Amino acid sequence: MKKRKPWRLIVPVLRWSIIATIWASILAGALVGWYALDLPDPDRLISDRTPSVTVLDSNDRILATYGDFRGEIVPFDRLPPDLVAAVIAVEDRRFFDHGGMDVFGVLRALVANLRAGEVVQGGSTITQQVIKNVFLTPERSLKRKIQEVLLAFWLERKFTKEEIFAIYLNRVYLGAGAFGIAAASHRYFGKKAGELSLGESAMIAGLLKAPSRDNPFNNPGRAIGRTTTVIDSMVDAGFIERDRARRAKATPLVLAIASNTGGDARYATDWVTARASEYIGVATRNLIISTTIDATLQEKARNALVSGLADGGPASAEEGAIVSMGPDGAVVAMVGGSGYSKTQFNRAVHAYRQPGSAFKLFVYLAALEAGWHPDTGVEDRPVTINGWSPGNFRDGNEGMMTLADAFAGSVNTVAADTAWKVGIANVIEVAHRLGIDRELPEVPSLALGTTELSLVELTGAYGTMANQGLATWPWVIREIRTSSGEVLYRRHVLPAPRLIEPAVHAAMTAMLGKVMEDGTGRAAQIDWPAGGKTGTSQDFRDAWFIGFTRQYVTGVWVGNDDGSPTGKVTGGGLPARIWAAYMSQALAGEPSLKLVDHAPPPATGDFTDLVSDLLGELTGDSPDSRQRGPEW
């Protein structure tokens, strides 16, 4: 049999190989073309991003951020060289050499993964990471991989290497809600990206692998370990010397306040963001809101409330709230519940409860404005008004007493009778004038605080007393600006109108001071001159204490969300103790200031003498203040 020559066998193989290659190329081209038709729009690289809101306290410390926190765009020439080297060392050492896809990197990762028996390295380049972050979903499929490579080649032709690197670092998620290098630099270290040290740069570069797991707020130990790995990689890549690496690893990294992601300050910041929309509408750009909240006082208020509720004993309430503001109404602290992680409902703003005797401020102000005096004689006796007969906290009646004694002892019969005599309409007018916005019914029981109010509005009304009779309306936003610095809103301070005449203000202040000296508010006594009023609603459902010094006016409410009785908690008990605990800390280091600047003008002798004596007791200026017995 005749043998076939070898070349005759090779020719058919080559022919069919060429044909197969052509058809494979055609099919591959068709597949690529088909997937290319479904490519995402590259213009998304420059599209608008979802706006974020950053809320700052009165000292420009971050209280909370909403949405994805994104800082300004940082171009490549403003990035620290150490940061660039750190990212290149751990993410893509051939970044400046390849054309978008690193074949050697893919092979190296494949070998490492096979040796480890699991995925320990990725072969994606920084260019491919940009494509993943900007354009594509996290799905694992042939289609997505082909689109990733196509877009990577397009990106390499469209932009320079430096521009691609900057796009990457300005887009990538770096943990703790921070997107981009500017946001991460501010979030973790409170500085601009260009100010990062070698160690700080290495820590941020280390977050690229697992930002949620390795960020220093969540896991400081892992963050430090990852930072060390990055620095060692920089040495291995020849980017830094070993001596410099040792110094960097030995230098402690100082983090910004870890609580900047919110915590219980969110009660206040939620209120801030809601109010911000009233000034600027819907946010379309990244916003920075500067507020009057003091992060230090916020923490003190939270601690006082939580500790008070925990230590209240069997008669305690399950929930509470605190609002503290300056005499001008600038809110410095707001805690709306026992814990934001447990309940986000802000009881300081949105809960409307009966204030009880804390409402009597408006009753007695109306009486003083009608010509009554603190020494005016009143009688604690059974009273019936239009079929309604109020009772006192303690059964029985004590007979004749002064108006100041009746207020200090929170005598219900006297308050109801006084309100009826001076006119319920006048009491309502005083309440509205001092900032109570709700419609108040013209009924006799109004005198005892049966109409529901919010803590923030009632505290604001008492602020008028701290503000020397001038208007105090709660406010919290100093300025709203975009992340680029454009001011959208700024509060303009206007002279506050006088709402209470000096003589009446001095008399009412003295009576409020007497409540704390020897009345129902004795548990709220502190080392600074102060005045305030207790309040307890029917069946002990709500307990209040609203008090003030020259520096702050603070309101405390405790109760149960379902309106059930608290177990006989009164305003002079748990709320007063919480108030004193917070105010003692808030006023630490502050001077002891008189409650009233202006002396009462000449009036009747008894009235002037009584007010002067009461005010003297509060400031230690009265020559006979040490001689008065507790009956005063």
Side-chain angles (χ1 to χ4, degrees):
M1 184 175 178
K2 190 177 181 180
K3 290 178 96 177
R4 299 181 64 180
K5 295 182 179 181
W7 64 270
R8 290 184 177 180
L9 295 175
I10 296 174
V11 169
V13 173
L14 289 175
R15 182 187 302 116
W16 286 109
S17 297
I18 293 172
I19 293 173
T21 301
I22 293 173
W23 278 108
S25 300
I26 292 173
L27 290 175
L31 185 63
V32 170
W34 175 256
Y35 289 153
L37 291 175
D38 194 30
L39 282 176
D41 182 6
D43 288 339
R44 286 172 57 183
L45 273 174
I46 57 174
S47 63
D48 289 339
R49 300 171 297 180
T50 302
S52 68
V53 177
T54 302
V55 183
L56 307 179
D57 83 339
S58 56
N59 295 306
D60 291 332
R61 293 172 290 187
I62 296 177
L63 287 172
T65 60
Y66 294 79
D68 297 335
F69 181 36
R70 304 177 189 267
E72 63 174 343
I73 300 298
V74 183
F76 184 85
D77 59 5
R78 285 170 50 195
L79 294 172
D82 285 334
L83 177 64
V84 176
V87 173
I88 295 296
V90 295
E91 290 293 303
D92 187 0
R93 293 191 185 181
R94 287 173 39 81
F95 172 70
F96 287 100
D97 298 320
H98 62 66
M101 181 177 178
D102 186 3
V103 177
F104 294 105
V106 172
L107 294 175
R108 183 177 61 250
L110 179 61
V111 171
N113 294 337
L114 289 174
R115 286 177 175 174
E118 59 179 334
V119 178
V120 295
Q121 285 188 23
S124 295
T125 64
I126 286 177
T127 307
Q128 289 173 285
Q129 292 295 331
V130 171
I131 298 302
K132 292 177 183 178
N133 292 336
V134 177
F135 298 115
L136 302 176
T137 64
E139 69 170 325
R140 294 176 179 268
S141 66
L142 176 63
K143 173 184 176 180
R144 195 201 67 83
K145 196 65 179 177
I146 291 175
Q147 289 183 331
E148 177 186 310
V149 173
L150 291 174
L151 285 169
F153 290 151
W154 171 85
L155 199 65
E156 289 281 345
R157 291 195 304 270
K158 182 74 173 180
F159 298 96
T160 66
K161 285 289 188 179
E162 290 77 10
E163 290 171 334
I164 293 172
F165 190 90
I167 291 171
Y168 176 58
L169 275 192
N170 282 289
R171 288 278 186 168
V172 69
Y173 181 59
L174 290 165
F179 284 79
I181 184 60
S185 301
H186 190 74
R187 173 60 51 83
Y188 294 121
F189 302 110
K191 58 176 61 175
K192 295 181 179 180
E195 300 170 347
L196 293 174
S197 67
L198 170 57
E200 292 164 346
S201 297
M203 176 172 281
I204 288 181
L207 297 174
L208 292 167
K209 183 177 181 180
S212 297
R213 183 190 64 189
D214 293 345
N215 89 69
F217 293 156
N218 288 348
N219 198 328
R222 286 190 65 94
I224 293 298
R226 182 67 179 152
T227 301
T228 299
T229 299
V230 173
I231 293 175
D232 289 340
S233 296
M234 295 174 72
V235 173
D236 182 61
F239 293 148
I240 59 174
E241 300 293 334
R242 293 190 180 277
D243 287 343
R244 188 168 180 233
R246 280 195 294 269
R247 291 195 300 271
K249 287 188 283 188
T251 303
L253 298 180
V254 180
L255 297 176
I257 300 174
S259 61
N260 59 12
T261 53
D264 286 346
R266 285 290 294 269
Y267 286 118
T269 59
D270 284 356
W271 182 54
V272 167
T273 55
R275 292 185 66 87
S277 63
E278 299 174 8
Y279 298 118
I280 64 170
V282 178
T284 58
R285 290 175 286 177
N286 293 350
L287 299 180
I288 299 174
I289 305 176
S290 300
T291 73
T292 59
I293 301 294
D294 185 310
T296 301
L297 296 182
Q298 178 73 24
E299 183 69 10
K300 294 180 185 301
R302 188 199 71 85
N303 291 341
L305 179 65
V306 172
S307 297
L309 292 175
D311 298 338
S316 65
E318 292 183 358
E319 279 298 344
I322 294 182
V323 173
S324 185
M325 58 186 74
D328 65 344
V331 176
V332 297
M334 173 182 286
V335 184
S338 58
Y340 190 85
S341 61
K342 179 174 65 174
T343 168
Q344 290 79 51
F345 180 65
N346 190 339
R347 295 155 187 82
V349 176
H350 302 301
Y352 287 84
R353 309 299 285 259
Q354 292 184 355
S357 294
F359 189 86
K360 291 176 183 177
L361 168 70
F362 311 117
V363 173
Y364 285 82
L365 270 174
L368 294 173
E369 290 183 343
W372 296 36
H373 303 147
D375 61 342
T376 295
V378 292
E379 185 178 3
D380 174 17
R381 58 181 175 79
V383 174
T384 300
I385 304 171
N386 289 351
W388 172 64
S389 300
N392 292 323
F393 180 74
R394 294 186 177 87
D395 294 333
N397 302 101
E398 298 184 15
M400 293 300 298
M401 60 182 61
T402 66
L403 194 70
D405 286 332
F407 183 72
S410 204
V411 181
N412 287 340
T413 57
V414 173
D417 190 47
T418 299
W420 187 250
K421 288 177 179 177
V422 301
I424 301 296
N426 291 326
V427 174
I428 293 174
E429 189 279 326
V430 170
H432 285 163
R433 190 198 320 157
L434 267 61
I436 302 299
D437 291 330
R438 291 175 66 84
E439 183 177 347
L440 302 174
E442 197 169 337
V443 295
S445 62
L446 178 69
L448 304 187
T450 55
T451 297
E452 297 175 338
L453 302 176
S454 72
L455 179 62
V456 67
E457 66 178 331
L458 187 57
T459 304
Y462 272 76
T464 304
M465 302 305 303
N467 203 25
Q468 305 300 296
L470 304 180
T472 296
W473 294 303
W475 63 283
V476 69
I477 297 177
R478 294 183 289 131
E479 182 182 87
I480 304 174
R481 65 183 184 275
T482 65
S483 58
S484 62
E486 178 185 354
V487 176
L488 304 180
Y489 166 81
R490 179 175 290 153
R491 177 178 170 83
H492 296 287
V493 180
L494 299 174
R498 175 164 293 281
L499 302 183
I500 306 174
E501 290 303 314
V504 173
H505 171 261
M508 191 72 246
T509 300
M511 292 170 63
L512 287 162
K514 182 174 171 61
V515 170
M516 297 181 65
E517 286 292 312
D518 52 27
T520 59
R522 290 188 295 273
Q525 290 180 1
I526 55 177
D527 293 335
W528 291 261
K533 186 70 183 76
T534 59
T536 310
S537 67
Q538 190 174 14
D539 297 327
F540 304 96
R541 298 178 188 275
D542 306 282
W544 307 65
F545 189 84
I546 318 289
F548 62 95
T549 63
R550 283 298 301 277
Q551 292 91 343
Y552 303 112
V553 54
T554 299
V556 178
W557 167 86
V558 299
N560 296 315
D561 286 338
D562 60 2
S564 60
T566 60
K568 297 187 177 181
V569 175
T570 65
L574 181 58
R577 294 195 298 272
I578 292 173
W579 185 92
Y582 163 72
M583 290 291 279
S584 294
Q585 294 185 53
L587 291 166
E590 294 283 343
S592 181
L593 301 176
K594 296 181 180 179
L595 290 181
V596 176
D597 277 341
H598 45 259
T604 63
D606 291 341
F607 170 49
T608 303
D609 291 344
L610 179 64
V611 172
S612 297
D613 288 346
L614 288 175
L615 289 174
E617 286 184 359
L618 299 179
T619 60
D621 291 340
S622 174
D624 58 347
S625 61
R626 298 182 180 179
Q627 300 176 7
R628 291 199 193 279
E631 72 277 8
W632 181 254

